[in-house]
Every structure is written in C-alpha cells, then in structure tokens.
Amino acid sequence: MAHVPTAEEQIQSLREEIHHHEHLYYVLDSPEITDAQYDALMNRLKKLEEQHPELITPDSPTQRVGGKPREGFAKVAHSRPMLSLDNAYNEEELRAWDQRVRAGLPSSETLRYVCELKLDGLSLALQYGAGAHESAHLERGLTRGDGTTGEDVTTNVRTIRSVPLSVAAKKLHTAHLPQSFEVRGEVVLPQAAFVKMNEERVAQGLAPAANPRNAAAGTIRTLEPNIVAQRRLDFYAYFLLRDGETLLPTHTETLEALKTAGFRVNPHGATAKNIDQVIEFIAKAEPLRETLGYEIDGVVIKVDSTAQQRRLGFTGKAPRWAIAYKFAARAGITKLEDVLFQVGRTGKVTPVAALTPVLIGGTTVTRATLHNADEIERLGVRIGDFVQVERGGDVIPKIVSVIDDKEHPRGKKEIVFPSVCPVCGSELMKVEGEVDWRCVNSSCPARVREELLHWSARSVMNIEGLGDAMVAQLLGQNPTFDEGTEAVTEEGAPITTRKPLIHTIADLYRLKREQLLGLERVGEKTADALLAEIERSKAAGLARALLGLGIRFVGERTGQLLAQHFGSMKALREASAEELEAVNEVGPKVAQAIVEFFAVEKNLQLIDDLESLGLKMTAEKRVVGTTLEGLTFVLTGTLPNLTRDEAKEKIEAAGGKVSGSVSKKTDYVVAGEEAGSKLEKAQALGVKVVDEVGLLKLLNG
Ligand code: IVH
C-alpha cells in the first residue's frame, strides 16, 4: 500500500517548498510560481498547522507575521561591537587610505580589495543557532544601537522575506558553515515601497518620512509586526561571524558562503587589485544610483584577506581595513519661483513647486512636490524663498526646509491654496479626517487625462503608443497641458486646442482610423499600431480591468485576488462588503471602497460600455488549450530550442502548471542539458522524465 504522508511530513514538505519559492522570489528575484500558487501553498500549511498546533516551529514560514512584540525592545549586547566606517570624500582621501593600508602590511604581500555598494539603510546583526535536523535557525535580530548594545527586533526581522528563518543542514554543509553563526548586513527599504509608504502617511495626515533610511529605521523599530511585513524591507548580507570572529579566510569567500546559505548578497560588487581599479569601480557605481530601486550613498572598500584585516586592526570606532567612499549629497539650495497645482486621477490636488533650475546629483531639478496644504503650512514656505531641496528615494524631489539667513532673504508672497479646481473650476472638497483637497468633478479634463494614462500604463492595459502626448491630443489638449506653460509644438509653433476625440476610457474603444489620421503627426503606421494595441487590450482580463478602473486601494495584487475569487465583473459588482471581506487580504477599508465604487452610476455605466465594446470582464481562463489540464511540470536544465520561459508559457497556455521543485505530485520533469538534482529526484521518485521533443508531443496532444 502507498505510504500516506503524516501531517508532520506534509508540513515539512510544504515548508521546504515554501522556503524554496521564497528564496527564488525574494533572494534571487526569479519566481517560478505565481503569487496565487504561493498563497495556496501557504494556506495549506496554515490549515495543517491549525489542526496540529504542536507542530508549529518558530522557523515555519507562517510565523513571519504575528507574534506580539514585547513592550519596547530589549537591549542586548553585541557579540562584537558593530563599528562604523571612516569616510573618504574624494580621490585624494581614498589614495591616502590606500597608502596607509599598504604601509601597515609587509610590502611582499599581495593586496586585494573588495568593492561593494554602500547601501543606505541600517545595519542589523542576525544570530543563528542550532535548529531541528541539524539546521541553523534565526534566533535573534539586533539593531546596531550604540554599537555595543543593540535592540532586539527579532519579531520584525522575521517578516523580512530575504532573511532566511532557517538554513538547512545541506546548505550549511555546502557553504562550510557551522550551525551557529552571525550574519551582519543592511536593511533597506526599496524606493517604490518608500514612495507608497509616504503616500499612505500623507493620506493619513502624517508627515512623510524624509528618506528611505529613516523610513526603514522607523519600520524596523515599530511595535506592529504586521506593518513591518507590509513594508517589504530587504536585507543584504555583508558579514559573517562566529563567536565574534570572522569565520572565513577572505571576504570574497564570506560573500560566496552567504549566497550559498541563501542570504541575499548585493550583486554589484567587485574585487580590485589596486586603488586605480577601486576608483574605476566607483566611477561605474555612481550612475547606478539612478537605476537600482534602492538608495546607496557610496562605495565600501574592504581588504579581502581576513589575516590582513587582523593585522591592520582598528582605530577607535572604525576598522583600518575598510573605508566608505561617499558620493556627493543629493541636495541643493534653490529658489521657489512659483507653486502650481496639479490634479491627479482621483481628483487630488497636489501643490508642486516650480524652482530655479539646480543641479542635484547629476540631474537638473526644476520641480519639487509640496505634498499638500498641511505640508506648506508645516514648512512655512513662501514664494521667493530659498529652499533646501533633496532628492531622496522618491523620484520626485522634495523641499525639506526653508533657508533663512543673510545671503538668503525670505520670500514675500504667501502661497494660496485654491478653493476651486485649477483645471475645471469645480469647487474643491475635503473628506473629514483626510488632508487632501479633491476635485470631485469626475469629468474634469485633468482627471480624465490621468485616468487614461493609468489605463494605458504597462502594469495595467499596457497600450503602447498611448502616452502623454497621444492622450493630450485625443483629449484635444496641447501636450504641455499640465505644466501651465504655453502650448507649442516641438518646433515652437503654437498648437490650437481642438475638439476632443474622446471623453472617457470607453471612447478609446470607439476610436476610428480616420479620426486618428486627422491628428497632428499621426501617420497610417502610428494609427494602425495604436488601434491594434487598443484592440489587444480588450483581452487583458478582469484583474487588469479592475486595476485600470482605479478603485481606491485596489492595486495589482488585490485586483488579481478579487478577479480569481469572483471570476466575473458581474459577480464582483453584486458582492456585499461581507462577501468582499471573505477574500484573502481584503479588509473593511478596501471592501468599503469597492462597494462605494460600484454605487456610483457613472462607474457602472463605464463598465457596461466597456463590456459591450468587447472588453473581457472575466478572470483569466486558459485560452489556448486544455491538453495539459491538471498536470504539474518541473523544468530543469537547458532545452535545445525553447527557453525556460517559453516552455513555461506553452505548458501554462495548455492548462498545465509549472512548479519549481519535484515531489511525488509532479507529473513530468522536462529535462534538458545539464539537468541537475531535480532530474535525480525525479528518477528517485519515479516521476516521468521527458525531453523537449517529448514535451512538444504532449502539447500537441
Ligand atoms: S561594512 C566594520 N559594508 O555603512 C564595518 N557597511 O558607515 C562595518 N553599510 O554601519 C560595515 N553598506 O550600516 C559595510 N557594503 C557595506 C555597507 C555598509 C552600507 C553601512 C553600515 C555601516 C555604515 C558605516
């Protein structure tokens, strides 16, 4: 008789599978399953653990969130002080440090440096100790504190997905790690998460965090683990200790071992044979700043050899064997020339500062956000003031303070927040308890413009060719509409505003070729391409349509969950607040917003129009075929013709599922060249193995 797995075995295998996918997703950035599939695994584990609470262990993935933190945080001494670094601000200082390093070592020795990005977050020490089955498990997470004593923020650290809760025996072995060790590294808040967090804070009437570092520090020290979990902090490891001592002979090996053990190590590092190579690295690293998605404020250079590090030792608070090269600050002083008021998709009016152009961190800044009326008051800023402008994690620069000294006389003109919409003239309204003033005219041209841009955005309908300029033209506006400048073409000729071709999103789907051809600089090719894109977007499905409609609080993920749960717009429209709250992750606030959205006649009309124009208002059903319905595949190795993504796409299009790990439930393993452990496991479990030809045969039924 076949062995029926016990609850413990099921729990164990689910945990392993979840760990595996978390690692793929959070550490390697290459998920192999969808969010929904991940949730399903997690839910199965939660159910089993509910039935068998005695089997819950602190390193179970279900334990990332939850667990009440104690009052405040306990103070704990570090195994070895967490030091800071000396700084170098220019090449000269860096070369002087290199001289000192070489002077401190015998001249016969070769010297090698490791260059790393200096992540602008806060440092953490993670202590691992012996766990079950010879694994190591996370025992404690400490902040730097004063360097000698840190705060125990373990509960919050557990919610950071790139922090492994445990490291399996096998991985420890491959990484040559003992069961107890300490990893140090940096917690950062990605810029996108920072922007989102500040939007939420501002909406709640709280002051926005000044930069992602402060936001990360505040987050890791909150007493609400649920909030920490939502914030999506990231952890990059850069140190490995055992009993307060560096474990491995070189820093390069340390980073390798950390990677092998499942920690996230920043990929932008390099070794350098001499200071010239370090300087080359720095020159390449600085422009990365604009593209990383998280903040860096310099480059850290470390002596690679642990023995040499020991010989060089420390001065007071910092090691002699490392230095931080700091990039120039991304802040500057400039004059506030004027304040413009922009109207967003939801009608929210945002004051935007028009500045005397100033070069900050390699970018000319001419605009900065002032967030809202309260922020203007808090800053006490007037037109004509000199202001300190910072480019933080936010792409949009912001004014942080008003300068008031001899060289910078105060401005005279008060900033008057408008009482009517600067675009359509409707009266502005403010919901009690909120800080934002809103234009409530849903036909306001500024709002329609933003709605259309949102609808066409890549993450929504992904309509190529429907950008700023095209939307403006379709609305009969000039392309520089929101800047408040005079309308001119690129060549400088004035543009006459014309009758709008569209008034709503639905009108997009009514556009005729001839209408497009009548627009400025739109030829046959452009018109046909745009029409084809618009046509294609009809099939995007319910989740994207929901996202596109701009229902408050309904982002990408919530849209997907709602679509999967209800299956059709019709069912969703009729759902009560209670029924909505039955959906995983939908709370009362979101449910209320959805109910309110569907109570507005105009919204219902738009949905009906879109549906009758051919938009798909049902959840993703597999379209191509169902030949592989119910079958689970695992891909391994390199296939001769298909890339892994292509193979995956084909399998999924035919109704099959692709999983990242082989289990008894796997139906087929598709193996290519250099297939590894997955193939071995398949053979051990007796799972069928096919090659590319075999897969294609299956696909063709
Ligand atoms: S090594 C004893 N490496 O910078 C040396 N630090 O200014 C300890 N930091 O407290 C630090 N990225 O919070 C190191 N790749 C990196 C870093 C890094 C950021 C932070 C760390 C440290 C501060 C010193």
Side-chain angles (χ1 to χ4, degrees):
M1 215 173 85
H3 168 69
V4 180
T6 63
E8 189 169 8
E9 284 166 345
Q10 287 182 51
I11 285 178
Q12 191 51 35
S13 103
L14 274 170
R15 283 180 189 162
E16 274 169 26
E17 206 172 336
I18 291 170
H19 274 311
H20 169 76
H21 290 299
E22 287 184 342
H23 184 72
L24 288 171
Y25 187 94
Y26 294 107
V27 180
L28 303 179
D29 257 343
S30 60
E32 287 180 356
I33 58 173
T34 64
D35 285 1
Q37 288 169 322
Y38 173 85
D39 291 345
L41 290 174
M42 200 63 149
N43 286 336
R44 252 163 60 204
L45 179 59
K46 274 189 202 152
K47 275 233 174 72
L48 278 167
E49 288 185 348
E50 267 165 31
Q51 290 159 3
H52 304 276
E54 73 283 0
L55 297 176
I56 300 178
T57 56
D59 63 359
S60 170
T62 58
Q63 302 302 301
R64 282 203 189 269
V65 199
K68 283 210 169 57
R70 54 196 119 218
E71 287 286 299
F73 299 102
K75 301 256 186 306
V76 179
H78 285 296
S79 64
R80 157 171 151 182
M82 288 184 85
L83 302 172
S84 63
L85 294 170
D86 284 334
N87 295 323
Y89 293 95
N90 52 47
E91 197 179 312
E92 202 185 328
E93 289 173 10
L94 200 58
R95 287 187 186 279
W97 171 74
D98 170 59
Q99 293 278 345
R100 289 198 299 276
V101 167
R102 283 187 288 117
L105 297 170
S107 54
S108 59
E109 279 188 22
T110 44
L111 173 66
R112 202 159 83 136
Y113 291 126
V114 178
C115 306
E116 285 168 9
L117 299 183
K118 186 169 188 312
L119 305 164
D120 197 7
L122 65 146
S123 43
L124 272 191
L126 309 178
Q127 297 174 354
Y128 287 80
H133 308 294
E134 289 170 46
S135 66
H137 88 129
L138 176 66
E139 282 179 345
R140 202 142 63 181
L142 299 178
T143 62
R144 179 170 180 274
D146 63 5
T148 316
T149 313
E151 283 179 312
D152 185 336
V153 288
T154 314
T155 317
N156 289 342
V157 166
R158 283 181 174 286
T159 68
I160 305 173
R161 311 295 178 102
S162 41
V163 168
L165 296 179
S166 65
V167 183
K170 206 171 142 199
K171 275 195 186 167
L172 290 177
H173 183 76
T174 330
H176 302 292
L177 285 187
Q179 265 182 292
S180 42
F181 56 89
E182 180 173 330
V183 171
R184 291 183 179 179
E186 201 83 353
V187 170
V188 299
L189 186 69
Q191 281 153 348
F194 170 70
V195 173
K196 192 165 156 250
M197 167 181 162
N198 266 356
E199 276 169 9
E200 283 167 13
R201 285 184 67 85
V202 170
Q204 289 163 6
L206 300 168
N211 53 49
R213 175 170 24 85
N214 289 7
T219 302
I220 205 78
R221 298 187 69 260
T222 63
L223 290 167
E224 282 282 346
N226 283 315
I227 293 191
V228 189
Q230 283 163 26
R231 294 264 168 86
R232 295 286 184 237
L233 292 166
D234 248 334
F235 177 79
Y236 289 97
Y238 51 64
F239 251 126
L240 178 60
L241 300 172
R242 183 193 190 177
D243 300 329
E245 291 297 327
T246 306
L247 190 64
L248 299 174
T250 62
H251 189 60
T252 314
E253 284 161 283
T254 298
L255 297 179
E256 270 315 308
L258 286 167
K259 246 190 273 179
T260 309
F263 289 88
R264 190 166 193 157
V265 170
N266 194 281
H268 304 281
T271 54
K273 286 198 192 111
N274 51 47
I275 202 70
D276 289 320
Q277 289 189 349
V278 168
I279 290 162
E280 275 168 39
F281 178 89
I282 293 172
K284 286 202 200 110
E286 190 152 7
L288 277 181
R289 252 185 138 172
E290 310 299 330
T291 61
L292 291 169
Y294 49 84
E295 290 286 290
I296 56 171
D297 59 347
V299 168
V300 179
I301 305 108
K302 301 172 182 172
V303 169
D304 195 21
S305 149
T306 308
Q308 289 179 340
Q309 288 182 3
R310 284 209 188 97
R311 218 164 310 143
L312 288 161
F314 302 86
T315 64
K317 282 205 189 113
R320 286 199 189 89
W321 48 263
I323 195 155
Y325 177 91
K326 300 273 278 223
F327 297 145
R330 291 199 296 183
I333 293 175
T334 189
K335 192 170 176 182
L336 176 64
E337 304 270 4
D338 199 2
V339 175
L340 316 168
F341 293 88
Q342 269 180 8
V343 185
R345 179 163 56 93
T346 59
K348 176 182 159 183
V349 179
T350 307
V352 177
L355 306 165
T356 308
V358 57
L359 199 65
I360 302 178
T363 304
T364 306
V365 174
T366 56
R367 294 271 190 275
T369 179
L370 280 161
H371 295 293
N372 53 46
D374 288 12
E375 178 72 358
I376 293 175
E377 199 170 315
R378 191 182 70 81
L379 289 165
V381 62
R382 296 195 286 256
I383 292 167
D385 274 339
F386 286 89
V387 289
Q388 169 90 3
V389 179
E390 232 177 54
R391 280 180 60 216
D394 224 319
V395 200
I396 312 161
K398 64 177 138 235
I399 293 179
V400 287
S401 60
V402 176
I403 313 282
D404 184 8
D405 59 26
K406 277 211 192 86
E407 292 116 87
H408 303 101
R410 290 294 312 267
K412 299 253 154 39
K413 198 170 155 203
E414 293 291 332
I415 299 167
V416 185
F417 210 90
S419 56
V420 297
C421 172
V423 178
C424 72
S426 317
E427 208 172 318
L428 297 184
M429 310 266 254
K430 183 166 159 169
V431 177
E432 229 192 82
E434 287 189 7
V435 286
D436 294 321
W437 286 93
R438 287 176 198 277
C439 165
V440 288
N441 168 18
S442 58
S443 313
C444 169
R447 291 186 57 177
V448 175
R449 173 179 180 277
E450 295 302 319
E451 275 166 17
L452 284 163
L453 286 172
H454 172 70
W455 185 263
S456 83
R458 186 172 304 177
S459 61
V460 187
M461 289 293 162
N462 192 14
I463 304 177
E464 213 171 304
L466 189 61
D468 271 314
M470 180 58 84
V471 165
Q473 285 222 67
L474 293 174
L475 290 173
Q477 298 158 352
N478 58 69
T480 48
F481 175 72
D482 74 327
E483 303 267 317
T485 45
E486 215 184 320
V488 286
T489 65
E490 266 171 35
E491 296 79 36
I495 293 177
T496 44
T497 43
R498 52 170 91 225
K499 213 168 137 263
L501 293 182
I502 61 177
H503 297 93
T504 65
I505 293 169
D507 289 344
L508 269 183
Y509 296 90
R510 298 188 179 106
L511 275 172
K512 300 265 170 324
R513 190 168 187 262
E514 309 76 67
Q515 290 180 304
L516 288 176
L517 290 175
L519 295 173
E520 202 95 31
R521 274 174 300 170
V522 175
E524 295 192 352
K525 231 169 116 185
T526 310
D528 290 338
L530 180 58
L531 288 173
E533 281 286 298
I534 293 173
E535 186 61 30
R536 191 188 49 74
S537 74
K538 288 182 180 175
L542 182 57
R544 289 193 180 228
L546 286 174
L547 181 62
L549 289 170
I551 306 169
R552 254 187 120 186
F553 308 121
V554 177
E556 202 165 330
R557 188 169 162 75
T558 312
Q560 276 169 6
L561 293 171
L562 289 167
Q564 277 159 13
H565 187 94
F566 291 97
S568 70
M569 185 66 91
K570 188 166 173 293
L572 179 63
R573 235 161 113 147
E574 287 161 3
S576 66
E578 293 83 63
E579 286 164 333
L580 288 164
E581 277 187 57
V583 179
N584 206 3
E585 292 181 33
V586 172
K589 193 174 77 172
V590 183
Q592 183 61 24
I594 298 170
V595 170
E596 276 170 19
F597 180 86
F598 287 116
V600 176
E601 189 50 42
K602 205 171 159 200
N603 295 336
L604 297 177
Q605 185 60 53
L606 173 61
I607 292 167
D608 286 343
D609 284 354
L610 287 171
E611 196 155 16
S612 65
L613 286 161
L615 254 90
K616 188 175 157 196
M617 293 286 189
T618 50
E620 296 301 291
K621 282 250 158 41
R622 299 204 157 93
V623 271
V624 182
T626 52
T627 48
L628 304 184
E629 192 75 64
L631 298 179
T632 302
F633 289 74
V634 172
L635 302 168
T636 178
T638 317
L639 299 177
N641 301 299
L642 294 172
T643 66
R644 204 170 261 219
D645 282 345
E646 285 164 354
K648 187 167 177 237
E649 231 167 72
K650 281 190 192 297
I651 292 169
E652 288 177 347
K657 200 182 113 180
V658 176
S659 163
S661 51
V662 182
S663 74
K664 273 176 270 175
K665 295 205 194 87
T666 311
D667 295 291
Y668 290 96
V669 165
V670 184
E673 215 166 300
E674 282 180 33
S677 60
K678 290 181 190 171
L679 179 57
E680 283 165 30
K681 192 159 176 199
Q683 284 157 347
L685 292 172
V687 172
K688 278 171 255 168
V689 178
V690 293
D691 59 5
E692 186 180 278
V693 177
L695 172 65
L696 294 174
K697 274 192 190 149
L698 284 169
L699 283 165
N700 293 327

